[in-house]
Amino acid sequence: MTIVEIVSFTASEALLADPSLGDAAVEYLKMAEGCQKALRGFQVKDKTKAYLVVTWDSYNSYEKLQKRGDYPSFVESMKENLSGAPVVQHLDFDVDSSNAFGAPVTELATITPKDGHSQEDLDVLLAEFREEASKTKSLTPPIAVGKIKQIPEAYLTALGWDGVEIHADAAVNVKS
């Protein structure tokens, strides 16, 4: 079962000035056993927030990487790209997330049930959301939903969009 790792962090001044500094991390991860895909990008609304997304063939492959002899030097080399501590999340999506992460724009949203609401309540809401969202032509299906390993009560949705403007238009139409 594939696992998606999402590392989010505030980009350093050096990375903001030269985004290609993140290429070495992507290349290192792509060469790791079990890595199916690695990519990086910046948030649209807050250009200082950066992401590294890695699809692993299993969580075990991620753990094996951490035990490699060259892993500490990789982590050290990443520090020049960070301004603060990274947040690492691992997800087991309910559907293939490659379309969401392969789209020109990927929207990530964390969902946590409010007190008094059950997992079943959330499942119903997500099913309704998926049905409504499927009517949006600029959305790249399917919508992936995954439980966040590090935050057991939270979920993350990954949606692929054809463009930033299209996503913004769709959000306005939903609110109307």
Side-chain angles (χ1 to χ4, degrees):
M1 166 94 34
T2 61
I3 296 294
V4 176
E5 176 183 14
I6 299 176
V7 181
S8 58
F9 56 94
T10 301
S12 67
E13 291 296 325
L15 183 61
L16 291 171
D18 182 4
S20 70
L21 291 175
D23 293 347
V26 171
E27 292 308 313
Y28 173 85
L29 291 165
K30 282 182 177 178
M31 300 304 291
E33 180 183 340
C35 176
Q36 296 178 339
K37 188 173 189 176
L39 54 96
R40 63 177 181 77
F42 291 91
Q43 188 179 95
V44 172
K45 289 183 180 178
D46 179 359
K47 302 269 191 225
T48 66
K49 187 156 187 179
Y51 291 89
L52 183 59
V53 179
V54 186
T55 303
W56 296 100
D57 63 0
S58 68
Y59 190 75
N60 187 45
S61 291
Y62 162 74
E63 290 177 315
K64 281 183 184 177
L65 172 69
Q66 291 183 305
K67 294 174 184 169
R68 284 180 28 179
D70 63 347
Y71 187 73
S73 59
F74 165 70
V75 171
E76 189 63 32
S77 72
M78 285 288 298
K79 290 181 180 176
E80 72 177 339
N81 295 332
L82 309 176
S83 178
V87 174
V88 180
Q89 298 176 327
H90 291 93
L91 301 118
D92 178 9
F93 283 110
D94 60 349
V95 296
D96 181 5
S97 63
S98 59
N99 284 351
F101 291 109
V105 175
T106 303
E107 176 183 7
L108 302 175
T110 302
I111 302 171
T112 306
K114 291 183 178 181
D115 288 339
H117 292 277
S118 67
Q119 174 63 48
E120 292 76 27
D121 295 337
L122 180 60
D123 290 341
V124 168
L125 287 172
L126 285 170
E128 290 172 3
F129 173 69
R130 280 183 161 145
E131 185 175 329
E132 286 301 311
S134 70
K135 298 173 187 173
T136 305
K137 293 178 182 165
S138 58
L139 186 65
T140 306
I143 296 171
V145 178
K147 204 157 186 43
I148 302 172
K149 183 176 179 61
Q150 290 78 8
I151 312 169
E153 68 280 1
Y155 295 81
L156 187 126
T157 59
L159 296 86
W161 293 92
D162 292 339
V164 174
E165 299 80 18
I166 294 168
H167 169 259
D169 291 345
V172 168
N173 289 334
V174 168
K175 291 178 185 176
S176 304

